[in-house]
Amino acid sequence: MKFDKLASYAPALVRYGVALVFILLGVSQLVDPMDWYALFPDQVLLSGLSIHQTVLFNGSFDILIGALLLVGLFTRVVTAIATLHMLIVIVVIGTDYYTIAVRDAGVLLASLSSFLRGPDKLCLDKKIFH
């Protein structure tokens, strides 16, 4: 079948999808941080950062994760961080924002899938480290 030849690109498509979600969420946090305040728990203030600073930091962190995933650099480490990050987000948000948690669960599973797979054939990792 024709699709059998394309199957080897499936891991890269999952990685690109996760990357785009992280980048778009990060950009949204940087552009409209106030829209995100309600999603951050009050305990975040114990870190010494304001809620505004925390949202901006998280948005920058999300963009960095997305950018590294997009090019496929340090893929296994970054997907492990992305998976852990999404797990924390789901636990923190809980059932208060069910539809968001469902989306985040999908991103978590896609991140975990990329972690288990490791670098795919389109990753920069393959060209640099192998």
Side-chain angles (χ1 to χ4, degrees):
M1 288 197 75
K2 292 181 182 182
F3 292 118
D4 291 340
K5 292 180 182 179
L6 297 175
S8 64
Y9 293 100
L13 291 175
V14 171
R15 181 173 50 83
Y16 292 150
V18 171
L20 289 175
V21 169
F22 271 96
I23 290 169
L24 292 173
L25 290 174
V27 167
S28 176
Q29 290 171 65
L30 295 181
V31 171
D32 292 314
M34 289 178 59
D35 289 348
W36 293 84
Y37 288 4
L39 297 176
F40 284 79
D42 293 335
Q43 295 87 339
V44 91
L45 297 176
L46 298 176
S47 70
L49 297 175
S50 70
I51 190 73
H52 185 80
Q53 291 169 322
T54 304
V55 171
L56 295 179
F57 173 80
N58 193 74
S60 300
F61 180 73
D62 285 352
I63 291 170
L64 178 62
I65 289 172
L68 289 171
L69 286 176
L70 197 60
V71 298
L73 191 57
F74 310 116
T75 305
R76 184 138 301 163
V77 172
V78 174
T79 53
I81 293 168
T83 301
L84 180 61
H85 182 58
M86 294 313 301
L87 183 61
I88 292 168
V89 167
I90 291 167
V91 168
V92 167
I93 290 177
T95 57
D96 292 341
Y97 298 93
Y98 179 76
T99 55
I100 294 172
V102 169
R103 176 210 58 206
D104 291 344
V107 175
L108 180 146
L109 291 173
S111 298
L112 179 60
S113 174
S114 291
F115 168 75
L116 294 173
R117 168 64 171 81
D120 56 73
K121 72 182 201 174
L122 297 180
C123 283
L124 201 53
D125 287 339
K126 290 283 188 179
K127 294 180 181 14
I128 294 174
F129 302 116
H130 289 98

